[in-house]
Amino acid sequence: MEQLVFEEKFFWYSDRNNMWKVEYNDIISIECDKPYIKFLLKGSKAIVIKKSLLNVQKNLNEKLFVRINRKTIVNMENVQSVLKNKDVYSLLMQNGLEYVVSFRTVSLVRKCFFLLNSSEKKDENGENENI
């Protein structure tokens, strides 16, 4: 029996034989191919699980993990660039993968990308500091 347990900085996954601890920052994207989802991880690793994408999405940090279309959630920290070709937006990931962004989520994706890559970051005291 498969189990998926979400913690603050990582999740546990176990099947009949193995158990994995996966840190969220190692996730590049999560792709759906019903009834399975595939976690694409750094280092060209992948974990395939029989779960719904919506079930997983509910347990992820919505500031970092954005559902960009019906079948894909991406870790915005691993997005290299947001590209526009004619009227189609896509995301180029750090590992070279490219995903098409649905029209409905373009503004959210652009906002998240900008906020994560903004030149102003807050230090530990909550004050702005330029990097």
Side-chain angles (χ1 to χ4, degrees):
M1 182 173 153
E2 293 181 330
Q3 287 189 326
L4 189 60
V5 179
F6 292 92
E7 301 286 342
E8 186 177 333
K9 297 188 183 240
F10 58 89
F11 71 87
W12 292 101
Y13 168 68
S14 65
D15 60 16
R16 292 183 182 153
N17 302 315
N18 303 301
M19 187 171 196
W20 296 272
K21 175 184 173 183
V22 178
E23 294 189 20
Y24 295 125
N25 60 359
D26 287 339
I27 299 171
I28 294 170
S29 61
I30 306 165
E31 298 176 353
C32 179
D33 188 14
K34 287 184 179 180
Y36 299 98
I37 59 170
K38 179 172 26 173
F39 289 85
L40 295 171
L41 308 174
K42 291 180 181 177
S44 301
K45 296 178 186 174
I47 296 175
V48 178
I49 301 172
K50 191 173 183 177
K51 292 280 184 195
S52 77
L53 196 59
L54 183 60
N55 181 286
V56 171
Q57 181 182 6
K58 290 178 186 178
N59 291 288
L60 297 172
N61 179 340
E62 61 190 28
K63 293 178 183 174
L64 293 178
F65 291 93
V66 177
R67 190 163 184 172
I68 61 167
N69 59 43
R70 255 177 351 115
K71 295 185 168 196
T72 312
I73 296 172
V74 298
N75 181 343
M76 292 302 293
E77 289 185 332
N78 290 310
V79 174
Q80 183 174 333
S81 55
V82 179
L83 307 170
K84 182 179 180 186
N85 185 8
K86 298 184 183 178
D87 289 335
V88 178
Y89 280 87
S90 61
L91 300 179
L92 181 60
M93 306 303 289
Q94 290 176 352
N95 66 347
L97 288 175
E98 190 171 337
Y99 294 108
V100 173
V101 179
S102 75
F103 181 74
R104 294 184 308 178
T105 61
V106 167
S107 61
L108 175 63
V109 167
R110 289 172 52 92
K111 180 181 176 181
C112 290
F113 183 75
F114 175 77
L115 291 174
L116 283 173
N117 294 289
S118 174
S119 61
E120 287 189 5
K121 302 278 183 181
K122 291 191 175 188
D123 65 12
E124 293 174 3
N125 299 325
E127 298 175 11
N128 287 337
E129 76 177 13
N130 289 328
I131 297 178

